[in-house]
Amino acid sequence: MTATQRQIPASPPALPGIAEQLRREGYARYYAATLSGKPARARGLHELVAAFDDLPPDQYAVGSNRFRRYSQLVYLPWFDFLSWVPEAQDPELGSIAGYFQDGYNPDYRGSRRYFPGLPAAVKDNVLLTELIRANIDQVLWHEELSHAPIYVGVHLIKLSVDGPDKIAVSSPNCLHQDGGKTMFTFAHLITCDNVIGGENVIADPACAGRLPAEVPAENIHARFRLSEPMDSYVVHDHRVSHYVSPVSLADQGGGVGSRGIIIMGIAPFAPKL
């Protein structure tokens, strides 16, 4: 079987307590230490770090210093079955997966973007597999995710700068939401070297479309920076808005700085029949 056909094996729940905080507050920040203690998982982290060296530029954001890949999975909770979705082929980019945010991203409102898919070796990565399954486990309490096929979108995104006058920017560069009431977004830092910035802000949902500096302090729930590999957070999308600030080079004397993160969106599949 190929990586897109094979059922991904199950693993035990690995992030106790996160679901409760997510249900209570609409977001949770945590360190996924339980996923990084075994030798196989340590090798998996090393392989994921290397995967960020091979990310192509974001063709939809020339000059943003943003690099990315994207693939999708489908999960059937009644069978505990998880499989990568087969991807289309592009003559220049190879395997590609379509990404559509409806009207939630003001930079690409109503636009479907196509990104190069994850290589087979990344899809087979033991740590990524455990992250996917652990994240799904944190949201199955939601009634609409317990009896419908679940889509999981996996982004590898790198912000990289190579000069003192450069900045790298996420999209959109404002507080935002990624989907509706059944959308959950997980973020896992994989690598961070020689950059400043990258501050995460969690705020009220009504703050979407504004910068944190434009928002009253009482509407901001949390500010933090992911700093170590496996430093993570999750948001229940309709209950909060979220933001990450641009990054720039920490060592103004030269060199390259980068921040690599896995963003994982989880939502029920909604057929339009």
Side-chain angles (χ1 to χ4, degrees), residues 9 22 36 46 55 78 90 108 168 170 182 198 207 250 263 269 272:
L22 182 58
S36 58
H46 178 77
L55 295 186
W78 49 90
D90 181 88
Y108 307 100
S170 290
T182 52
C207 298
I263 301 293
F269 176 67
K272 298 179 180 179

Side-chain angles (χ1 to χ4, degrees), residues 3 6 8 18 34 41 52 54 59 76 79 82 101 119 127 135 140 143 146 151 158-159 181 192 216 224 239 257 260:
R6 178 170 60 250
I8 297 175
I18 302 306
T34 53
R41 294 167 182 164
F52 281 86
D54 187 36
Q59 62 177 335
L76 304 181
F79 288 136
L82 180 66
Q101 290 182 283
L127 182 57
N135 290 350
L140 287 179
E143 61 179 9
S146 61
Y151 251 69
K158 179 175 70 175
L159 302 180
K181 66 179 181 178
C192 188
F224 55 86
R239 295 173 60 192

Side-chain angles (χ1 to χ4, degrees), residues 12 25 27 37 52 72-73 84 126 128 131 146 198 202 248 259:
E25 300 182 31
Y27 74 96
F52 281 86
Q72 300 167 328
L73 306 98
W84 292 97
V126 63
L128 180 61
L131 279 173
S146 61
I202 310 295
S248 56
R259 179 182 187 268

Side-chain angles (χ1 to χ4, degrees), residues 65-136:
N65 295 311
R66 188 166 67 241
F67 304 77
R68 68 192 302 168
R69 290 185 181 273
Y70 174 69
S71 288
Q72 300 167 328
L73 306 98
V74 65
Y75 177 70
L76 304 181
W78 49 90
F79 288 136
D80 190 31
F81 182 89
L82 180 66
S83 179
W84 292 97
V85 175
E87 294 166 349
Q89 294 296 314
D90 181 88
E92 295 183 4
L93 300 176
S95 296
I96 57 171
Y99 181 52
F100 182 64
Q101 290 182 283
D102 203 355
Y104 286 95
N105 187 333
D107 293 344
Y108 307 100
R109 198 178 303 277
S111 175
R112 183 176 296 276
R113 291 172 285 165
Y114 292 87
F115 297 112
L118 276 59
V122 176
K123 292 178 178 179
D124 287 339
N125 182 276
V126 63
L127 182 57
L128 180 61
T129 297
E130 290 203 20
L131 279 173
I132 293 165
R133 282 194 162 273
N135 290 350
I136 290 172

Side-chain angles (χ1 to χ4, degrees), residues 208-237:
R210 291 183 282 173
L211 290 169
E214 301 169 336
V215 173
E218 60 267 25
N219 297 125
I220 293 179
H221 299 207
R223 292 179 179 266
F224 55 86
R225 284 182 175 85
L226 305 181
S227 57
E228 300 294 331
M230 302 300 293
D231 215 352
S232 307
Y233 74 90
V234 55
V235 296
H236 188 181
D237 199 73

